[in-house]
mmCIF file of all heavy atoms in Angstrom:
data_model
loop_
_atom_site.group_PDB
_atom_site.id
_atom_site.type_symbol
_atom_site.label_atom_id
_atom_site.label_comp_id
_atom_site.label_asym_id
_atom_site.label_seq_id
_atom_site.Cartn_x
_atom_site.Cartn_y
_atom_site.Cartn_z
ATOM 1 N N ILE R 137 -7.667 17.022 -3.171
ATOM 2 C CA ILE R 137 -7.907 17.919 -1.999
ATOM 3 C C ILE R 137 -6.994 17.528 -0.817
ATOM 4 O O ILE R 137 -6.459 18.480 -0.150
ATOM 5 C CB ILE R 137 -9.396 17.695 -1.540
ATOM 6 C CG1 ILE R 137 -10.328 18.349 -2.636
ATOM 7 C CG2 ILE R 137 -9.694 18.267 -0.144
ATOM 8 C CD1 ILE R 137 -11.833 17.989 -2.441
ATOM 9 N N VAL R 138 -6.789 16.248 -0.625
ATOM 10 C CA VAL R 138 -5.871 15.818 0.445
ATOM 11 C C VAL R 138 -4.429 16.395 0.234
ATOM 12 O O VAL R 138 -3.803 16.808 1.181
ATOM 13 C CB VAL R 138 -5.890 14.237 0.722
ATOM 14 C CG1 VAL R 138 -4.861 13.841 1.591
ATOM 15 C CG2 VAL R 138 -7.271 13.860 1.153
ATOM 16 N N ILE R 139 -3.995 16.194 -0.968
ATOM 17 C CA ILE R 139 -2.707 16.760 -1.398
ATOM 18 C C ILE R 139 -2.489 18.231 -1.085
ATOM 19 O O ILE R 139 -1.597 18.694 -0.445
ATOM 20 C CB ILE R 139 -2.309 16.376 -2.791
ATOM 21 C CG1 ILE R 139 -2.140 14.921 -3.015
ATOM 22 C CG2 ILE R 139 -1.018 17.155 -3.356
ATOM 23 C CD1 ILE R 139 -2.036 14.403 -4.424
ATOM 24 N N ILE R 140 -3.504 19.018 -1.599
ATOM 25 C CA ILE R 140 -3.430 20.476 -1.399
ATOM 26 C C ILE R 140 -3.439 20.826 0.056
ATOM 27 O O ILE R 140 -2.665 21.681 0.527
ATOM 28 C CB ILE R 140 -4.580 21.096 -2.113
ATOM 29 C CG1 ILE R 140 -4.410 20.962 -3.626
ATOM 30 C CG2 ILE R 140 -4.656 22.660 -1.820
ATOM 31 C CD1 ILE R 140 -3.105 21.540 -4.238
ATOM 32 N N LEU R 141 -4.367 20.216 0.790
ATOM 33 C CA LEU R 141 -4.472 20.528 2.245
ATOM 34 C C LEU R 141 -3.287 20.182 3.018
ATOM 35 O O LEU R 141 -2.780 20.878 3.964
ATOM 36 C CB LEU R 141 -5.790 19.891 2.811
ATOM 37 C CG LEU R 141 -7.042 20.461 2.388
ATOM 38 C CD1 LEU R 141 -8.213 19.758 2.940
ATOM 39 C CD2 LEU R 141 -7.168 21.944 2.638
ATOM 40 N N SER R 142 -2.756 18.954 2.744
ATOM 41 C CA SER R 142 -1.540 18.476 3.533
ATOM 42 C C SER R 142 -0.352 19.323 3.064
ATOM 43 O O SER R 142 0.483 19.740 4.015
ATOM 44 C CB SER R 142 -1.316 16.993 3.216
ATOM 45 O OG SER R 142 -1.017 16.701 1.910
ATOM 46 N N LEU R 143 -0.169 19.691 1.931
ATOM 47 C CA LEU R 143 0.997 20.574 1.481
ATOM 48 C C LEU R 143 0.836 21.995 2.087
ATOM 49 O O LEU R 143 1.833 22.504 2.596
ATOM 50 C CB LEU R 143 1.104 20.613 -0.018
ATOM 51 C CG LEU R 143 1.616 19.417 -0.719
ATOM 52 C CD1 LEU R 143 1.427 19.643 -2.279
ATOM 53 C CD2 LEU R 143 3.027 19.096 -0.393
ATOM 54 N N PHE R 144 -0.349 22.470 2.062
ATOM 55 C CA PHE R 144 -0.596 23.807 2.743
ATOM 56 C C PHE R 144 -0.309 23.689 4.240
ATOM 57 O O PHE R 144 0.200 24.638 4.877
ATOM 58 C CB PHE R 144 -1.992 24.260 2.457
ATOM 59 C CG PHE R 144 -2.170 25.650 2.835
ATOM 60 C CD1 PHE R 144 -1.636 26.729 2.172
ATOM 61 C CD2 PHE R 144 -3.043 25.965 3.884
ATOM 62 C CE1 PHE R 144 -1.821 28.058 2.543
ATOM 63 C CE2 PHE R 144 -3.290 27.283 4.241
ATOM 64 C CZ PHE R 144 -2.721 28.301 3.646
ATOM 65 N N GLY R 145 -0.810 22.618 4.815
ATOM 66 C CA GLY R 145 -0.526 22.383 6.223
ATOM 67 C C GLY R 145 0.937 22.258 6.581
ATOM 68 O O GLY R 145 1.442 22.895 7.622
ATOM 69 N N ILE R 146 1.782 21.676 5.774
ATOM 70 C CA ILE R 146 3.254 21.512 5.950
ATOM 71 C C ILE R 146 3.817 22.945 5.954
ATOM 72 O O ILE R 146 4.596 23.304 6.735
ATOM 73 C CB ILE R 146 3.789 20.580 4.858
ATOM 74 C CG1 ILE R 146 3.454 19.101 5.211
ATOM 75 C CG2 ILE R 146 5.503 20.697 4.898
ATOM 76 C CD1 ILE R 146 3.854 18.184 4.128
ATOM 77 N N ALA R 147 3.370 23.656 4.880
ATOM 78 C CA ALA R 147 3.916 24.997 4.684
ATOM 79 C C ALA R 147 3.599 25.915 5.932
ATOM 80 O O ALA R 147 4.571 26.614 6.492
ATOM 81 C CB ALA R 147 3.405 25.609 3.423
ATOM 82 N N LEU R 148 2.352 25.880 6.306
ATOM 83 C CA LEU R 148 1.934 26.734 7.571
ATOM 84 C C LEU R 148 2.761 26.373 8.766
ATOM 85 O O LEU R 148 3.298 27.203 9.525
ATOM 86 C CB LEU R 148 0.509 26.614 7.765
ATOM 87 C CG LEU R 148 -0.392 27.388 6.886
ATOM 88 C CD1 LEU R 148 -1.884 27.134 7.290
ATOM 89 C CD2 LEU R 148 -0.166 28.900 7.132
ATOM 90 N N GLN R 149 2.816 25.062 9.056
ATOM 91 C CA GLN R 149 3.462 24.597 10.249
ATOM 92 C C GLN R 149 4.936 24.783 10.219
ATOM 93 O O GLN R 149 5.538 25.251 11.211
ATOM 94 C CB GLN R 149 3.220 23.150 10.468
ATOM 95 C CG GLN R 149 3.639 22.701 11.861
ATOM 96 C CD GLN R 149 3.284 21.263 12.204
ATOM 97 O OE1 GLN R 149 3.136 20.493 11.224
ATOM 98 N NE2 GLN R 149 3.238 20.909 13.477
ATOM 99 N N ASP R 150 5.602 24.651 9.186
ATOM 100 C CA ASP R 150 7.086 24.960 9.031
ATOM 101 C C ASP R 150 7.373 26.307 9.145
ATOM 102 O O ASP R 150 8.387 26.768 9.747
ATOM 103 C CB ASP R 150 7.615 24.281 7.660
ATOM 104 C CG ASP R 150 9.094 24.028 7.803
ATOM 105 O OD1 ASP R 150 9.567 23.916 8.901
ATOM 106 O OD2 ASP R 150 9.715 23.820 6.766
ATOM 107 N N PHE R 151 6.520 27.229 8.561
ATOM 108 C CA PHE R 151 6.794 28.660 8.759
ATOM 109 C C PHE R 151 6.569 29.071 10.126
ATOM 110 O O PHE R 151 7.390 29.936 10.610
ATOM 111 C CB PHE R 151 5.861 29.482 7.766
ATOM 112 C CG PHE R 151 6.353 29.630 6.381
ATOM 113 C CD1 PHE R 151 5.838 28.895 5.320
ATOM 114 C CD2 PHE R 151 7.540 30.458 6.149
ATOM 115 C CE1 PHE R 151 6.299 28.995 4.059
ATOM 116 C CE2 PHE R 151 7.887 30.701 4.768
ATOM 117 C CZ PHE R 151 7.339 29.909 3.854
ATOM 118 N N LYS R 152 5.498 28.582 10.776
ATOM 119 C CA LYS R 152 5.300 29.022 12.129
ATOM 120 C C LYS R 152 6.208 28.514 13.199
ATOM 121 O O LYS R 152 6.627 29.151 14.061
ATOM 122 C CB LYS R 152 3.816 28.665 12.536
ATOM 123 C CG LYS R 152 2.760 29.567 11.876
ATOM 124 C CD LYS R 152 1.302 29.084 12.161
ATOM 125 C CE LYS R 152 0.916 29.533 13.545
ATOM 126 N NZ LYS R 152 -0.484 29.161 13.794
ATOM 127 N N GLU R 153 6.420 27.134 13.052
ATOM 128 C CA GLU R 153 7.137 26.515 14.183
ATOM 129 C C GLU R 153 8.507 25.879 13.820
ATOM 130 O O GLU R 153 9.241 25.318 14.666
ATOM 131 C CB GLU R 153 6.233 25.288 14.785
ATOM 132 C CG GLU R 153 4.936 25.835 15.156
ATOM 133 C CD GLU R 153 4.056 24.683 15.644
ATOM 134 O OE1 GLU R 153 4.481 23.544 15.760
ATOM 135 O OE2 GLU R 153 2.920 25.049 15.643
ATOM 136 N N ARG R 154 8.859 25.928 12.524
ATOM 137 C CA ARG R 154 10.089 25.291 12.040
ATOM 138 C C ARG R 154 10.100 23.753 12.326
ATOM 139 O O ARG R 154 11.104 23.203 12.755
ATOM 140 C CB ARG R 154 11.385 25.859 12.587
ATOM 141 C CG ARG R 154 11.640 27.356 12.134
ATOM 142 C CD ARG R 154 11.826 27.384 10.632
ATOM 143 N NE ARG R 154 12.268 28.707 10.247
ATOM 144 C CZ ARG R 154 11.574 29.713 10.141
ATOM 145 N NH1 ARG R 154 10.257 29.729 10.347
ATOM 146 N NH2 ARG R 154 12.122 30.897 9.791
ATOM 147 N N ASN R 155 8.974 23.228 12.309
ATOM 148 C CA ASN R 155 8.705 21.788 12.737
ATOM 149 C C ASN R 155 7.481 21.374 11.863
ATOM 150 O O ASN R 155 6.511 22.142 11.731
ATOM 151 C CB ASN R 155 8.459 21.686 14.185
ATOM 152 C CG ASN R 155 8.641 20.395 14.729
ATOM 153 O OD1 ASN R 155 8.971 19.403 14.005
ATOM 154 N ND2 ASN R 155 8.454 20.215 16.050
ATOM 155 N N VAL R 156 7.435 20.134 11.501
ATOM 156 C CA VAL R 156 6.395 19.548 10.800
ATOM 157 C C VAL R 156 5.935 18.391 11.364
ATOM 158 O O VAL R 156 6.776 17.390 11.727
ATOM 159 C CB VAL R 156 6.657 19.311 9.326
ATOM 160 C CG1 VAL R 156 5.561 18.817 8.486
ATOM 161 C CG2 VAL R 156 7.204 20.641 8.651
ATOM 162 N N PHE R 157 4.606 18.186 11.575
ATOM 163 C CA PHE R 157 4.088 16.942 12.174
ATOM 164 C C PHE R 157 4.344 15.775 11.272
ATOM 165 O O PHE R 157 4.161 15.883 10.002
ATOM 166 C CB PHE R 157 2.620 16.966 12.371
ATOM 167 C CG PHE R 157 2.153 17.806 13.492
ATOM 168 C CD1 PHE R 157 1.131 18.774 13.342
ATOM 169 C CD2 PHE R 157 2.817 17.786 14.777
ATOM 170 C CE1 PHE R 157 0.661 19.547 14.443
ATOM 171 C CE2 PHE R 157 2.351 18.570 15.836
ATOM 172 C CZ PHE R 157 1.340 19.462 15.548
ATOM 173 N N LEU R 158 4.788 14.662 11.753
ATOM 174 C CA LEU R 158 5.084 13.492 10.994
ATOM 175 C C LEU R 158 3.788 12.988 10.185
ATOM 176 O O LEU R 158 3.859 12.572 9.175
ATOM 177 C CB LEU R 158 5.595 12.350 11.901
ATOM 178 C CG LEU R 158 6.036 11.053 11.166
ATOM 179 C CD1 LEU R 158 7.063 11.261 10.058
ATOM 180 C CD2 LEU R 158 6.518 10.063 12.145
ATOM 181 N N TRP R 159 2.646 13.062 10.800
ATOM 182 C CA TRP R 159 1.537 12.671 10.299
ATOM 183 C C TRP R 159 1.066 13.368 9.017
ATOM 184 O O TRP R 159 0.517 12.907 8.024
ATOM 185 C CB TRP R 159 0.227 12.587 11.202
ATOM 186 C CG TRP R 159 -0.235 13.883 11.698
ATOM 187 C CD1 TRP R 159 0.167 14.541 12.841
ATOM 188 C CD2 TRP R 159 -1.234 14.775 11.085
ATOM 189 N NE1 TRP R 159 -0.513 15.723 12.977
ATOM 190 C CE2 TRP R 159 -1.323 15.905 11.881
ATOM 191 C CE3 TRP R 159 -1.939 14.643 9.944
ATOM 192 C CZ2 TRP R 159 -2.253 16.926 11.588
ATOM 193 C CZ3 TRP R 159 -2.849 15.675 9.574
ATOM 194 C CH2 TRP R 159 -2.844 16.777 10.491
ATOM 195 N N LEU R 160 1.475 14.791 9.052
ATOM 196 C CA LEU R 160 1.203 15.572 7.808
ATOM 197 C C LEU R 160 2.195 15.062 6.611
ATOM 198 O O LEU R 160 1.691 15.039 5.556
ATOM 199 C CB LEU R 160 1.559 17.010 8.144
ATOM 200 C CG LEU R 160 0.379 17.904 8.476
ATOM 201 C CD1 LEU R 160 0.830 19.312 8.778
ATOM 202 C CD2 LEU R 160 -0.666 17.919 7.396
ATOM 203 N N LEU R 161 3.394 14.828 7.029
ATOM 204 C CA LEU R 161 4.275 14.296 5.955
ATOM 205 C C LEU R 161 3.866 12.947 5.420
ATOM 206 O O LEU R 161 3.887 12.726 4.254
ATOM 207 C CB LEU R 161 5.682 14.282 6.518
ATOM 208 C CG LEU R 161 6.427 15.535 6.823
ATOM 209 C CD1 LEU R 161 7.619 15.327 7.705
ATOM 210 C CD2 LEU R 161 6.809 16.178 5.455
ATOM 211 N N LEU R 162 3.360 12.085 6.339
ATOM 212 C CA LEU R 162 2.913 10.775 5.883
ATOM 213 C C LEU R 162 1.645 10.940 5.046
ATOM 214 O O LEU R 162 1.522 10.257 4.049
ATOM 215 C CB LEU R 162 2.552 9.893 7.132
ATOM 216 C CG LEU R 162 3.755 9.275 7.830
ATOM 217 C CD1 LEU R 162 3.304 8.639 9.140
ATOM 218 C CD2 LEU R 162 4.488 8.339 6.984
ATOM 219 N N LEU R 163 0.656 11.795 5.422
ATOM 220 C CA LEU R 163 -0.478 11.973 4.684
ATOM 221 C C LEU R 163 -0.182 12.595 3.271
ATOM 222 O O LEU R 163 -0.750 12.051 2.315
ATOM 223 C CB LEU R 163 -1.402 12.999 5.425
ATOM 224 C CG LEU R 163 -2.764 13.250 4.783
ATOM 225 C CD1 LEU R 163 -3.628 12.002 4.636
ATOM 226 C CD2 LEU R 163 -3.448 14.331 5.512
ATOM 227 N N SER R 164 0.695 13.504 3.249
ATOM 228 C CA SER R 164 1.188 14.094 1.965
ATOM 229 C C SER R 164 1.867 13.031 1.156
ATOM 230 O O SER R 164 1.511 12.978 -0.062
ATOM 231 C CB SER R 164 2.043 15.284 2.293
ATOM 232 O OG SER R 164 2.447 15.881 1.057
ATOM 233 N N GLY R 165 2.723 12.211 1.713
ATOM 234 C CA GLY R 165 3.501 11.269 0.899
ATOM 235 C C GLY R 165 2.539 10.153 0.443
ATOM 236 O O GLY R 165 2.656 9.656 -0.728
ATOM 237 N N LEU R 166 1.547 9.733 1.266
ATOM 238 C CA LEU R 166 0.688 8.618 0.903
ATOM 239 C C LEU R 166 -0.264 9.176 -0.301
ATOM 240 O O LEU R 166 -0.509 8.395 -1.218
ATOM 241 C CB LEU R 166 -0.116 8.142 2.053
ATOM 242 C CG LEU R 166 0.659 7.251 3.045
ATOM 243 C CD1 LEU R 166 -0.211 6.970 4.302
ATOM 244 C CD2 LEU R 166 1.130 5.967 2.348
ATOM 245 N N SER R 167 -0.744 10.370 -0.081
ATOM 246 C CA SER R 167 -1.759 10.851 -1.124
ATOM 247 C C SER R 167 -0.976 11.176 -2.403
ATOM 248 O O SER R 167 -1.562 10.843 -3.472
ATOM 249 C CB SER R 167 -2.438 12.140 -0.562
ATOM 250 O OG SER R 167 -1.584 13.108 -0.183
ATOM 251 N N MET R 168 0.124 11.827 -2.347
ATOM 252 C CA MET R 168 0.905 12.042 -3.601
ATOM 253 C C MET R 168 1.416 10.655 -4.227
ATOM 254 O O MET R 168 1.391 10.655 -5.523
ATOM 255 C CB MET R 168 2.116 13.003 -3.271
ATOM 256 C CG MET R 168 1.637 14.434 -3.093
ATOM 257 S SD MET R 168 2.968 15.525 -2.557
ATOM 258 C CE MET R 168 4.000 15.440 -4.100
ATOM 259 N N GLY R 169 1.764 9.823 -3.460
ATOM 260 C CA GLY R 169 2.239 8.515 -3.934
ATOM 261 C C GLY R 169 1.079 7.814 -4.554
ATOM 262 O O GLY R 169 1.164 7.218 -5.682
ATOM 263 N N ALA R 170 -0.048 7.820 -3.944
ATOM 264 C CA ALA R 170 -1.335 7.219 -4.500
ATOM 265 C C ALA R 170 -1.735 7.807 -5.846
ATOM 266 O O ALA R 170 -2.048 7.179 -6.739
ATOM 267 C CB ALA R 170 -2.416 7.181 -3.538
ATOM 268 N N PHE R 171 -1.586 9.190 -5.857
ATOM 269 C CA PHE R 171 -1.864 9.904 -7.147
ATOM 270 C C PHE R 171 -0.957 9.575 -8.253
ATOM 271 O O PHE R 171 -1.390 9.286 -9.247
ATOM 272 C CB PHE R 171 -1.976 11.428 -6.860
ATOM 273 C CG PHE R 171 -2.700 12.203 -7.914
ATOM 274 C CD1 PHE R 171 -4.083 12.227 -8.016
ATOM 275 C CD2 PHE R 171 -1.915 12.886 -8.869
ATOM 276 C CE1 PHE R 171 -4.708 12.956 -8.938
ATOM 277 C CE2 PHE R 171 -2.605 13.660 -9.880
ATOM 278 C CZ PHE R 171 -4.029 13.520 -9.929
ATOM 279 N N HIS R 172 0.264 9.550 -7.958
ATOM 280 C CA HIS R 172 1.374 9.149 -8.907
ATOM 281 C C HIS R 172 1.088 7.713 -9.400
ATOM 282 O O HIS R 172 1.025 7.398 -10.545
ATOM 283 C CB HIS R 172 2.701 9.311 -8.171
ATOM 284 C CG HIS R 172 3.808 8.838 -9.076
ATOM 285 N ND1 HIS R 172 5.095 8.616 -8.603
ATOM 286 C CD2 HIS R 172 3.972 8.607 -10.451
ATOM 287 C CE1 HIS R 172 5.973 8.317 -9.533
ATOM 288 N NE2 HIS R 172 5.254 8.185 -10.684
ATOM 289 N N PHE R 173 0.817 6.810 -8.340
ATOM 290 C CA PHE R 173 0.620 5.363 -8.742
ATOM 291 C C PHE R 173 -0.655 5.257 -9.641
ATOM 292 O O PHE R 173 -0.597 4.372 -10.536
ATOM 293 C CB PHE R 173 0.343 4.625 -7.421
ATOM 294 C CG PHE R 173 0.376 3.109 -7.596
ATOM 295 C CD1 PHE R 173 1.533 2.387 -7.742
ATOM 296 C CD2 PHE R 173 -0.846 2.411 -7.645
ATOM 297 C CE1 PHE R 173 1.531 1.001 -8.101
ATOM 298 C CE2 PHE R 173 -0.859 1.035 -7.854
ATOM 299 C CZ PHE R 173 0.294 0.441 -8.029
ATOM 300 N N SER R 174 -1.648 6.123 -9.482
ATOM 301 C CA SER R 174 -2.867 5.958 -10.284
ATOM 302 C C SER R 174 -2.634 6.408 -11.622
ATOM 303 O O SER R 174 -3.488 6.148 -12.557
ATOM 304 C CB SER R 174 -3.960 6.715 -9.627
ATOM 305 O OG SER R 174 -3.818 8.061 -9.797
ATOM 306 N N LYS R 175 -1.581 7.231 -11.949
ATOM 307 C CA LYS R 175 -1.386 7.731 -13.235
ATOM 308 C C LYS R 175 -0.376 6.996 -14.137
ATOM 309 O O LYS R 175 -0.260 7.230 -15.261
ATOM 310 C CB LYS R 175 -0.791 9.201 -13.187
ATOM 311 C CG LYS R 175 -1.818 10.110 -12.388
ATOM 312 C CD LYS R 175 -3.135 10.251 -13.161
ATOM 313 C CE LYS R 175 -4.039 11.152 -12.430
ATOM 314 N NZ LYS R 175 -5.316 11.117 -12.973
ATOM 315 N N VAL R 176 0.419 6.033 -13.545
ATOM 316 C CA VAL R 176 1.395 5.230 -14.290
ATOM 317 C C VAL R 176 1.234 3.770 -13.989
ATOM 318 O O VAL R 176 0.511 3.364 -13.058
ATOM 319 C CB VAL R 176 2.810 5.806 -13.876
ATOM 320 C CG1 VAL R 176 2.968 7.310 -14.293
ATOM 321 C CG2 VAL R 176 3.125 5.505 -12.508
ATOM 322 N N TYR R 177 1.992 3.057 -14.769
ATOM 323 C CA TYR R 177 2.016 1.535 -14.576
ATOM 324 C C TYR R 177 2.903 1.303 -13.279
ATOM 325 O O TYR R 177 3.779 2.158 -12.950
ATOM 326 C CB TYR R 177 2.731 0.814 -15.735
ATOM 327 C CG TYR R 177 1.868 0.882 -16.990
ATOM 328 C CD1 TYR R 177 2.413 1.524 -18.160
ATOM 329 C CD2 TYR R 177 0.661 0.243 -17.045
ATOM 330 C CE1 TYR R 177 1.635 1.666 -19.220
ATOM 331 C CE2 TYR R 177 -0.082 0.302 -18.160
ATOM 332 C CZ TYR R 177 0.385 0.994 -19.329
ATOM 333 O OH TYR R 177 -0.366 1.072 -20.441
ATOM 334 N N TYR R 178 2.592 0.286 -12.533
ATOM 335 C CA TYR R 178 3.214 0.085 -11.270
ATOM 336 C C TYR R 178 4.699 -0.218 -11.457
ATOM 337 O O TYR R 178 5.549 0.255 -10.561
ATOM 338 C CB TYR R 178 2.606 -1.096 -10.455
ATOM 339 C CG TYR R 178 2.898 -2.506 -10.887
ATOM 340 C CD1 TYR R 178 3.996 -3.158 -10.283
ATOM 341 C CD2 TYR R 178 2.138 -3.156 -11.849
ATOM 342 C CE1 TYR R 178 4.269 -4.382 -10.725
ATOM 343 C CE2 TYR R 178 2.474 -4.387 -12.360
ATOM 344 C CZ TYR R 178 3.530 -5.010 -11.722
ATOM 345 O OH TYR R 178 3.900 -6.255 -12.160
ATOM 346 N N GLN R 179 5.178 -0.785 -12.596
ATOM 347 C CA GLN R 179 6.607 -0.945 -12.674
ATOM 348 C C GLN R 179 7.366 0.471 -12.870
ATOM 349 O O GLN R 179 8.409 0.639 -12.417
ATOM 350 C CB GLN R 179 6.925 -1.779 -14.005
ATOM 351 C CG GLN R 179 6.378 -3.154 -14.005
ATOM 352 C CD GLN R 179 5.029 -3.263 -14.612
ATOM 353 O OE1 GLN R 179 4.206 -2.368 -14.683
ATOM 354 N NE2 GLN R 179 4.736 -4.515 -15.012
ATOM 355 N N GLN R 180 6.664 1.268 -13.608
ATOM 356 C CA GLN R 180 7.202 2.714 -13.765
ATOM 357 C C GLN R 180 7.225 3.377 -12.439
ATOM 358 O O GLN R 180 8.179 4.134 -12.088
ATOM 359 C CB GLN R 180 6.406 3.388 -14.767
ATOM 360 C CG GLN R 180 7.009 4.852 -15.016
ATOM 361 C CD GLN R 180 6.081 5.625 -15.972
ATOM 362 O OE1 GLN R 180 5.076 5.139 -16.508
ATOM 363 N NE2 GLN R 180 6.496 6.802 -16.304
ATOM 364 N N PHE R 181 6.199 3.211 -11.670
ATOM 365 C CA PHE R 181 6.225 3.848 -10.285
ATOM 366 C C PHE R 181 7.402 3.370 -9.480
ATOM 367 O O PHE R 181 8.037 4.191 -8.894
ATOM 368 C CB PHE R 181 4.854 3.522 -9.617
ATOM 369 C CG PHE R 181 4.807 4.064 -8.165
ATOM 370 C CD1 PHE R 181 4.481 5.367 -7.924
ATOM 371 C CD2 PHE R 181 4.980 3.241 -7.176
ATOM 372 C CE1 PHE R 181 4.357 5.829 -6.713
ATOM 373 C CE2 PHE R 181 4.912 3.638 -5.795
ATOM 374 C CZ PHE R 181 4.635 5.019 -5.535
ATOM 375 N N ILE R 182 7.579 2.060 -9.403
ATOM 376 C CA ILE R 182 8.678 1.514 -8.633
ATOM 377 C C ILE R 182 10.061 2.013 -9.115
ATOM 378 O O ILE R 182 10.873 2.499 -8.351
ATOM 379 C CB ILE R 182 8.654 -0.047 -8.650
ATOM 380 C CG1 ILE R 182 7.377 -0.618 -8.035
ATOM 381 C CG2 ILE R 182 9.878 -0.632 -7.902
ATOM 382 C CD1 ILE R 182 7.157 -0.291 -6.625
#
């Protein structure tokens, strides 16, 4: 849910303002990174 909402937020904001809030990028990166990390071994993630 966080990934979908943050990606959708990035898309909306970039289309409207040609600018993206840093917190949206951080939220998206952290949630996608956590999801990726939860699916693989940590060595593979690194």
